[in-house]
Amino acid sequence: MEKEQNKYLTVSALTAYLKRKFDADPYLAKVYVTGEISNMGRRRGPHLYFSIKDSESNAVISASMFGYERRIKFQPEEGMKINAVGRVEIYEPRGSYSIILESMTPDGVGELFLAYEQLKRKLQAEGLFDLLKKQLPIFPKKIAVITSPTGAVIEDIARTVQRRFPSAQVILFPAVVQGEKAAPTIIRQLQRIDNMDFDTVIVGRGGGSIEDLWAFNDENLARTIASMQTPVISSVGHETDNTLVDFVSDRRAATPTAAAELATPITLQQLTTRLQELHLRQIARIKQMIDMRQQRLNRVATHVIFQQPDRLYTGYNQRIDQLSHSLQQLTKQRVINEKYKVVAILQRQQHLQRSLLQPIQERLQLLSTKLDLVSPLKILSSGYAIVEYDKKVVRSTTDITINDEIDMRFSDGHATAKITGVQHE
């Protein structure tokens, strides 16, 4: 009975046995499988979990890819048909099997192309390609070129700029233009240039496959160029190559020579010719203006005013005469009127004096007559005199004695007398 019981395995033992078989099977160590992505969305940190199913049946296998961001360039989507390579193994806790993917590519289109299209749609939806493009300077002084120091790009650009506009200075900012280090290198050089006083920057590289040009589809590089203050000209690959850098740059050139021509829109020869044309036009214009001024001066010089300048003042003189005559007449009439007013005022004043002073004069005359009647002088004129002694009026014979000198006031003067005798009554 005990021997019969030992024939049975636990689930864990059976699962462990199968796992060892799966791990030892060389055909399951590297399996190529194709199908559609389903049950997408299970991402745990840098790991991706989903299912692969057959499009014509219900067969499904769980799939996992660890560190998927460094393994694939594109973003897996629900329903996307893929070709994947991985190993099949059993997950012991659940007793289920799944495929652990090492690589995965879209079926029908290349992985890089799909990643390019996905990132292009993303940036376009954000409006990064529709930003206002900056104008390129017409007369650049300093042109920065980001490219490989050993390639032909810098030589083509320098030669073209020297031929078209020699005063412009071309400065190379060396960068890695292929591989994983390319995008960070170009971004650092762009940031350096944007903090300097360059008029234009050219990002250049020769042609190549999509893998060779992949650095110019980097999202961070595209965003850096879109935020640049300095105008950027893209010259990456051939005319048929399109990278994301081309869409965010201010101008795109098919070749380095074309980029240099865009950076120097006007050649020195064109500028010289244009200056000569302007110089000739300026001379002709000045001559025309001088002729016009001379003709106008001649017309003015022959004007009747300059020929007979006194005619200019004839009208004014007549006007002044009329005004002077009117002023004299007006002044004369005003003086006459004022005289009449003064005479009338004087007559009125005399009348008022007579009417006001006559009663007063008559009253004064009457009072004067009355005063004359009581005046001491009037009495004195009748033969009387006022006798004073010691500046006092003598009113009685008792006020004086013999030999006193007395003062006698008459109506017409004074006299001094000496008392020689006093008789009382």
Side-chain angles (χ1 to χ4, degrees), residues 204-407:
R205 189 201 184 284
S209 64
I210 188 171
E211 290 80 5
D212 296 336
L213 305 179
W214 186 248
F216 297 90
N217 292 316
D218 182 82
E219 181 177 356
N220 292 329
L221 177 58
R223 294 186 184 280
T224 300
I225 292 177
S227 63
M228 289 279 289
Q229 299 296 322
T230 308
V232 178
I233 300 175
S234 169
S235 176
V236 178
H238 299 300
E239 187 171 3
T240 55
D241 298 324
N242 286 314
T243 64
L244 296 181
V245 168
D246 298 331
F247 293 103
V248 296
S249 296
D250 298 294
R251 299 294 295 273
R252 193 236 177 193
T255 63
T257 300
E261 292 175 351
L262 288 175
T264 54
I266 295 178
T267 66
L268 181 60
Q269 180 62 36
Q270 292 173 335
L271 181 60
T272 303
T273 304
R274 180 60 176 164
L275 289 176
Q276 291 175 349
E277 292 176 358
L278 292 176
H279 180 65
L280 294 176
R281 289 177 60 182
Q282 186 177 26
I283 293 175
R285 179 59 179 165
I286 292 174
K287 186 175 182 305
Q288 183 183 12
M289 292 179 63
I290 291 174
D291 293 340
M292 292 174 61
R293 297 290 192 278
Q294 186 62 47
Q295 293 176 3
R296 184 176 179 182
L297 179 62
N298 294 336
R299 288 197 301 271
V300 172
T302 57
H303 196 274
V304 66
I305 295 300
F306 291 95
Q307 298 299 322
Q308 298 175 350
D310 54 328
R311 295 178 58 182
L312 181 65
Y313 307 103
T314 302
Y316 294 105
N317 291 333
Q318 291 177 354
R319 180 63 176 166
I320 291 173
D321 292 340
Q322 291 175 357
L323 292 175
S324 298
H325 179 72
S326 298
L327 181 61
Q328 290 176 358
Q329 294 297 323
L330 182 62
T331 303
K332 185 177 180 180
Q333 183 63 40
R334 189 163 185 176
V335 169
I336 293 172
N337 294 337
E338 293 300 326
K339 283 183 178 179
Y340 288 145
K341 289 181 180 178
V342 171
V343 170
I345 291 171
L346 290 175
Q347 290 176 351
R348 185 179 179 184
Q349 184 180 9
Q350 292 175 357
H351 176 72
L352 287 175
Q353 285 179 350
R354 286 195 298 270
S355 61
L356 292 174
L357 293 177
Q358 185 173 1
I360 296 173
Q361 288 176 348
E362 292 176 351
R363 184 175 177 79
L364 288 175
Q365 185 66 33
L366 179 60
L367 292 174
S368 177
T369 304
K370 289 181 178 179
L371 286 174
D372 287 338
L373 294 176
V374 295
S375 174
L377 297 176
K378 186 72 173 181
I379 298 173
L380 292 176
S381 63
S382 299
Y384 295 96
I386 297 173
V387 179
E388 293 179 346
Y389 174 72
D390 196 14
K391 297 182 180 179
K392 294 180 180 178
V393 176
V394 178
R395 299 181 182 278
S396 174
T397 55
T398 59
D399 296 336
I400 56 176
T401 60
I402 297 174
N403 295 324
D404 288 342
E405 289 185 356
I406 58 175
D407 182 68

